[in-house]
Every structure is written in C-alpha cells, then in structure tokens.
Amino acid sequence: MSKSHNARGGASRPPGPGGPGGPPGMMMPGVKAKNFKGTLKRLLGYLKPFRLRLFIVLITAILSTLFAIISPKILGEATDVLLDGWLAKFNNEPGAAIDFQRIAYILAILAALYVISSLFAFLQQYLMARVAQKVVYDLREDVNSKLGRLPLRFFDARSNGDILSRMVNDVDNIANTLQQSLTQMITSVVTLLGIIIMMLTISPLLTLILVLTLPLSFVVIALIAKQSQKHFKSQQDQLGQLNGHVEEMYTGHTIIKAFGREKQSVEKFRQMNEVLYHSSWKAQFISGIMWPLMGFIGNIGYVLICVVGGIQMTKGNISVGNIQAFIQYARQFTQPIMQTANIANIIQSTIASAERVFELLDEEEEQEQAQPTKKISNPKGNVSFEHVQFGYSDDKLLMKDLSLDVKSGQMIAIVGPTGAGKTTLVNLLMRFYNIQGGKITIDGERIESFNRSYVRSLFGMVLQDTWLFNGTIRDNIAYGRAGATEDEIIAAAKAAHADHFIRTLPEGYDTVLNEEASNISSGQKQLLTIARAILADPPMLILDEATSSVDTRTELFIQQAMHNLMQGRTSFVIAHRLSTIKDADRILVMNQGSVIEQGTHEELLAAGGFYADLYQSQFANGGAGEVEMEEYQS
C-alpha cells in the first residue's frame, strides 16, 4: 500500500502576518511563472463557463464596497447636525435644539447601507466560492484523468511527491486565490478609487497632502518585501528539509532504534529546527515591522490633515463632520494599497502553481490506435516475441533481437542479474511501453491491435512489492473483479491459503488494513494479493517471487497458493530463488536485455553455462545460504 504523503511543494503561503489568520496587507514572497501571460490566459479559460456568475460577483463586489465607502461621509453629516445643534444651544440662539429626528434618520440610512453592503458581500462570497470550487473540481478531474492516460515512463521519471504536490498543493493554491484573492483585488481597487473620489468631494487640498505620502509608503513596502522574501524562502526550504527528516525518523523508527541512533537523529532534528527558528523569526520580524512603519507614515499624514483641516475649518471652508469623514478615509487609504501589492504577489505564486499543473496536463499521453472493440473470444494464453527491439531511449536499445514462443498453460521462469531486462520484458507484455521493432502477439494477434486496458485485463499480477489500499480485507480481495460475490471472495481466499489467518483476526474479512497494511505480516499481505489475482481469474499471470522475507511456513503457503493460481494458466515468473523454478516448463536466462540461454532446469545444468554457474553459486556447500538472484552480478 502506498503511503500518504503531505508533500508540500510548489508555491506555498508562509505562515504569520499576511497568511491565514494574520493581518491583511503583508507582502508575501512570490514565485514567478515562466510564461505568466500564457498561463493566465489558460487559467481564465476554466473561468469562461462562469462568465455570468463572475459578472454578478463583480457587480456585487463593487456595490458592497461603494455602500461601505459612502458610510463615513453620511456619518460625518450626522456629526455636523449634532454639532450645529449643540453650538446653537451654546450660543443661546432662539429655538435652538439638537435635531435628533434628523440624526436618527441619518443613522437609519447608515444602518441600511451597512446591511445592504453586508448582503452584497455575502452574495459575492457565496457565488465566488461556488465558482472557485467548481473550477478546481474541473481542474482536479482533468489532472486525475490525465494521470490515467500517461505512460509508465512519466511516473518512472518523477517522484511521487512532485506529482502529489501538483495535484493537491498547487490546485489548492489556485482554489484559495480564486476564492479569496480575486474578490479582494476587486474590492481593494474599488475601495482605493472610491476613497480618492470621496476625499476629493470633501477637500482636494487634503487629498493632495495624503497622496504625497504614497511614494514613501511604496519605498517602505518595497524595502521590507525585498528583505523578508529571502528569509521566507529560506524558511520554506528549511521547513521542507525538516519535514523530510521527521518523515524519515518516524517511518524508519525501527531501524533507528535497532542501531541505537536515537540521539544522533534527535540532534540532527535539533540542528535543523534551530536553523528553521532563525529563518522564521527573521522573516516574521522583518515582515511584522511593516505595520508600525506604515502606521508612522499614516500618522504623519493625519497630523498634516489635522493641521491643514483645522485651518480650513476656521476659514469656514470645511465642516467638522467632513474632517471626521476625511480622517476615516485616510485611515482606510493605505490598506487597499498594501492588499493590492500583497495580492499581486499571491497571483504570481498562483500562476506559478497553475503552470506546474498545466505542464502535467501537457505531458505526452499513451497513443491508442487500436480498434476499441477488438477482443479475443476465448483467450488461450499463447504469447510470442518475434525479433523484438526496445530501448527506453531510441538511441540506446536494451533489447536488440528478442525472440520467444510461449504455449498456453506453460510456466516460464525468467532469471538473470539486476538490469538484465526481466522487468522490462514484463512491461512490454503489459504494453506499459511500446517496442521499437519486431512484434509481440497474444494468440496470434499483435498486442497493438487491442486497447491497452484490454491487454492488461488478460494478465493477473502478483508482485514482490505488495499493494493494498486502506480498506477492509474483503474490499482488497474484491478489487480483483468488480461485482464479486461474498462466496467468490471467500473461495479465492481459501485457494490462496488466506482464509484461515483472516478468520483469526478480530474482525475477520471486515478487518480494516491501516496505513501500509502494517497490521498484518508481509506473508499475509502476499497471500491477499494472490487471492485477489485468483478472483480476477485471468488467462495469463505475471508473478514476482516474494518469499525472501517470510518464514518457512508462510513461504510454503505462498508457494502452494502460487501453484493453485498457476493451474491451467500461462505464467511468467520472475525468479529470485532458483529452488522455486525447477519445475518450470522453460527457464529464460536474461542478461543485458537478451535471452542468452533457455531450456528446462536439467537442460541448462547439463549445458554448464551461465545458469549452471548461477545455480552452483546459490547452492554451494550443500545448499547452505541461498543467495538472492538480484545480488548476483555477471
């Protein structure tokens, strides 16, 4: 069973200020895309079906922001009414009184504006969440479908962590940006423009004074972002290394304890944690001084506004309420600027993530040119290799002229040193790779004339590396054939000598296998994979012996289960112990991609060649100390 990894790769958002839960507006490190415009255009293509909803989101974002922007000006009117009434009473003017009815009317309008603004904000978030999640749903579907169409060489050339990072982390990064940053960008721009317009209606002079502080704000943002970005990058790099070390510590804890390396492992963790600590506090501290500095610059603007505004008020050019409204606008003025700069960085990071996803989607797929409905009515399992040529790269052939004829029901054992081509031969049978020359046939038909999925359905596989998923034992066995009944599952388990140990488990067939199926032994896992292959009932088998790490009793069970499985089926057995293949109908001895010897066990021993030397090396000194085939080098 494959282990789940939280492979956080690609563009990630640093914790702390500007991250989830931090104050808005902190500059975050951006990861630039190679082709920003092309990737952005392609990502927008996923948004195209939702143009109407996005237009509504745009309108609701603008309306929500506008209603919120108007509010300080209206609140300033209430202040003016209150102040005018108070001054009239203070000056003992005839009939002087505070017009509370008008104040109540203004406050009612203000409350209505806040409610309407909140409703539009709610509608905006609701629609954008639906659009964002549908877009990433389609994106995940495309990626998942693409992975199913990619050839084996793609997975051979890339780490699982990188593929997982593109499918999970990069897509999540896109989702977060679509759902949050796009609407924030709209509201920030509208807020900035709206605030400037409202301030101009109050006092162009005060607006000019405030705008003059902008260059200083931009200089501070640029300097802090430049310094914090390198520390954030170091923080993410160190975090990745620390995560890798922690994973090694806990997945290999048995080996660490067995060799008494606990202290060294803990010390290495301490050193890495120390480096991460220094990178993190520097990044957080430098980014954290953004707000105090911006506050200082803002206060300079407030002082100037108050001084100039006070002078303007004494001249009767501006009211107290308008000064109050202007100060509120001034306090809001820097926030959308910082948010816009921050979101621009986030979008850079998101486009980089999208580019990584699109790189995966653009990978060359397996070309399927076969007739989709062509099948063998009654598969016998006759397999033929005729002058096959193959190499993982066209300029370097591994197999130059491989010929082989296998009859139905035969057991073919494949032996040879590491890199001889045993696994390659199996991969060609399953059409994981296409050959460069010659042909491979099944029951006289070229395998290229069938769909790959059909070719693979003709084979059952039991590999040395067992694969069991997180689920019940029943579900893992039933994976071999869709729609299998309970009786068929139990019959397959009995044939694989697995039924007895399954029934000794507390939950029997309902026992849930945990991560890596570590709650059962290696031998028991192998028996389950054999049961799964028996249930599939394929005409041909590919078996990779996996008895080297089990006890003698379990090995006997596995050998008996293998024997039951191979009855009446063409079988290709990758052999590691020569003692298990003495009864094979034919033994293929491979080296450097070619079959250098073939025959029965007795014929090959009598020939005194490569196989005979190999056999003697494994059973020297009366057969003591069998040597694994993979350890034998030519």
Side-chain angles (χ1 to χ4, degrees):
M1 176 179 176
S2 298
K3 183 183 175 186
S4 299
H5 292 282
N6 187 18
R8 291 284 169 190
S12 56
R13 303 171 188 259
M26 220 304 293
M27 286 291 292
M28 300 205 312
V31 182
K32 293 188 177 180
K34 301 170 188 172
N35 181 10
F36 184 91
K37 289 184 179 179
T39 305
L40 178 60
K41 183 178 179 181
R42 189 167 176 182
L43 183 59
L44 291 177
Y46 278 85
L47 292 167
K48 196 173 181 180
F50 309 101
R51 285 173 293 186
L52 178 59
R53 290 187 187 181
L54 289 172
F55 178 73
I56 296 173
V57 167
L58 176 63
I59 297 301
T60 54
I62 292 173
L63 291 175
S64 173
T65 306
L66 287 179
F67 285 128
I69 290 172
I70 295 170
S71 301
K73 183 72 181 293
I74 295 175
L75 187 60
E77 291 182 16
T79 302
D80 284 338
V81 172
L82 179 64
L83 184 61
D84 289 345
W86 183 83
L87 287 174
K89 288 179 68 176
F90 181 80
N91 294 328
N92 296 317
E93 294 180 7
I98 298 174
D99 192 350
F100 286 107
Q101 185 175 358
R102 178 164 173 74
I103 293 173
Y105 175 73
I106 293 173
L107 292 179
I109 293 176
L110 189 64
L113 288 177
Y114 283 136
V115 171
I116 294 171
S117 177
S118 298
L119 289 175
F120 277 124
F122 171 80
L123 182 60
Q124 161 204 326
Q125 290 297 330
Y126 174 79
L127 290 174
M128 199 63 215
R130 294 288 297 271
V131 170
Q133 293 307 315
K134 187 62 175 69
V135 167
V136 296
Y137 172 85
D138 293 339
L139 201 55
R140 285 193 187 102
E141 287 289 313
D142 288 349
V143 172
N144 186 60
S145 176
K146 180 73 177 187
L147 290 174
R149 299 192 301 270
L150 289 174
L152 187 63
R153 64 175 177 272
F154 170 83
F155 300 96
D156 288 343
R158 288 164 181 81
S159 68
N160 291 338
D162 179 65
I163 297 172
L164 285 172
S165 175
R166 292 173 191 250
M167 186 169 186
V168 179
N169 304 321
D170 289 322
V171 173
D172 281 348
N173 195 21
I174 295 170
N176 291 333
T177 299
L178 290 178
Q179 188 165 329
Q180 300 173 13
S181 300
L182 284 185
T183 53
Q184 286 180 7
M185 176 70 84
I186 295 169
T187 55
S188 295
V189 172
V190 174
T191 299
L192 186 60
L193 293 175
I195 286 174
I196 292 174
I197 292 170
M198 294 304 295
M199 288 193 302
L200 285 171
T201 62
I202 296 172
S203 172
L205 178 60
L206 294 180
T207 304
L208 178 62
I209 292 171
L210 188 62
V211 170
L212 289 176
T213 63
L214 281 181
L216 185 57
S217 298
F218 289 142
V219 169
V220 169
I221 290 173
L223 289 176
I224 293 178
K226 184 179 180 180
Q227 292 299 317
S228 65
Q229 185 166 340
K230 62 183 181 182
H231 292 297
F232 272 125
K233 184 179 185 304
S234 175
Q235 175 187 340
Q236 294 301 106
D237 292 341
Q238 295 299 328
L239 185 61
Q241 293 179 26
L242 185 67
N243 286 340
H245 177 66
V246 170
E247 183 182 355
E248 286 182 355
M249 282 176 61
Y250 288 103
T251 55
H253 66 276
T254 304
I255 303 299
I256 292 173
K257 290 180 180 296
F259 285 90
R261 296 285 181 172
E262 295 95 334
K263 288 184 179 180
Q264 291 90 331
S265 182
V266 170
E267 177 60 23
K268 185 177 179 180
F269 174 87
R270 191 196 65 76
Q271 293 173 359
M272 297 174 76
N273 197 27
E274 183 77 14
V275 175
L276 176 60
Y277 162 74
H278 286 291
S279 296
S280 298
W281 84 258
K282 288 178 183 177
Q284 300 299 333
F285 170 73
I286 293 174
S287 63
I289 64 175
M290 172 83 75
W291 283 104
L293 289 176
M294 293 302 294
F296 175 73
I297 295 170
N299 286 332
I300 294 174
Y302 301 151
V303 171
L304 293 174
I305 289 167
C306 290
V307 172
V308 176
I311 295 171
Q312 291 285 87
M313 187 184 71
T314 59
K315 294 179 178 180
N317 295 333
I318 190 171
S319 67
V320 174
N322 278 337
I323 291 179
Q324 171 197 305
F326 197 95
I327 290 175
Q328 283 185 274
Y329 287 131
R331 287 187 176 276
Q332 298 175 19
F333 185 63
T334 55
Q335 183 173 331
I337 296 173
M338 294 175 66
Q339 281 183 339
T340 303
N342 188 32
I343 292 167
N345 235 4
I346 293 173
I347 289 176
Q348 285 277 6
S349 172
T350 301
I351 296 301
S353 290
E355 191 171 61
R356 282 165 49 82
V357 174
F358 292 145
E359 283 175 357
L360 191 153
L361 291 175
D362 291 337
E363 287 288 338
E364 184 180 353
E365 300 179 7
E366 286 184 320
Q367 297 300 316
E368 193 66 83
Q369 300 174 338
Q371 301 175 32
T373 58
K374 187 170 184 179
K375 295 182 179 180
I376 302 173
S377 58
N378 186 22
K380 299 289 193 300
N382 297 298
V383 178
S384 175
F385 284 69
E386 298 181 23
H387 307 291
V388 170
Q389 295 180 349
F390 172 75
Y392 292 102
S393 58
D394 293 335
D395 58 343
K396 189 176 181 180
L397 293 179
L398 176 64
M399 295 180 177
K400 298 179 180 178
D401 186 18
L402 176 63
S403 294
L404 175 66
D405 191 38
V406 180
K407 300 300 182 185
S408 175
Q410 284 188 329
M411 173 186 171
I412 306 299
I414 309 169
V415 303
T418 300
K422 304 186 295 296
T423 302
T424 300
L425 187 145
V426 168
N427 287 337
L428 295 181
L429 268 178
M430 299 285 286
R431 280 201 70 191
F432 288 136
Y433 292 94
N434 290 324
I435 59 177
Q436 278 95 337
K439 65 178 181 179
I440 302 174
T441 64
I442 297 176
D443 290 347
E445 297 283 351
R446 294 179 70 117
I447 60 173
E448 292 85 0
S449 64
F450 305 112
N451 278 336
R452 287 184 174 84
S453 59
Y454 176 70
V455 172
R456 292 161 191 170
S457 72
L458 298 175
F459 290 89
M461 296 186 74
V462 179
L463 302 179
Q464 188 169 14
D465 295 325
T466 56
W467 181 82
L468 298 169
F469 57 84
N470 195 329
T472 66
I473 287 178
R474 177 186 289 100
D475 292 338
N476 272 277
I477 297 175
Y479 194 81
R481 190 174 80 234
T485 65
E486 180 75 8
D487 290 341
E488 290 172 333
I489 293 171
I490 294 174
K494 288 181 178 178
H497 295 275
D499 180 70
H500 175 73
F501 93 79
I502 293 173
R503 294 187 183 278
T504 62
L505 298 173
E507 302 296 328
Y509 283 84
D510 293 317
T511 300
V512 176
L513 300 180
N514 62 12
E515 187 179 12
E516 295 185 349
S518 59
N519 50 340
I520 59 175
S521 70
S522 299
Q524 290 170 338
K525 285 191 282 188
Q526 193 62 269
L527 293 176
L528 291 182
T529 61
I530 295 172
R532 185 167 62 195
I534 291 174
L535 183 64
D537 194 24
M540 291 173 285
L541 294 170
I542 295 172
L543 307 174
D544 190 348
E545 282 188 329
T547 58
S548 58
S549 60
V550 299
D551 59 84
T552 305
R553 177 182 171 84
T554 304
E555 180 179 354
L556 179 61
F557 282 142
I558 292 175
Q559 292 297 341
Q560 291 174 345
M562 291 273 198
H563 179 75
N564 293 339
L565 179 59
M566 289 187 291
Q567 287 298 315
R569 296 183 175 90
T570 304
S571 304
F572 296 86
V573 181
I574 298 176
H576 303 284
R577 295 186 181 185
L578 302 187
S579 60
T580 63
I581 58 170
K582 290 180 180 179
D583 297 329
D585 296 296
R586 195 185 320 173
I587 298 171
L588 306 180
V589 184
M590 297 191 69
N591 196 19
Q592 298 181 353
S594 300
V595 177
I596 57 174
E597 295 177 2
Q598 58 177 301
T600 63
H601 174 71
E602 289 77 12
E603 290 170 348
L604 292 174
L605 284 181
F610 190 94
Y611 179 83
D613 292 341
L614 185 61
Y615 186 82
Q616 292 300 323
S617 71
Q618 283 200 10
F619 293 94
N621 301 322
E626 284 193 2
V627 181
E628 287 292 319
M629 169 63 68
E630 294 300 329
E631 296 175 357
Y632 182 83
Q633 301 293 331
S634 59

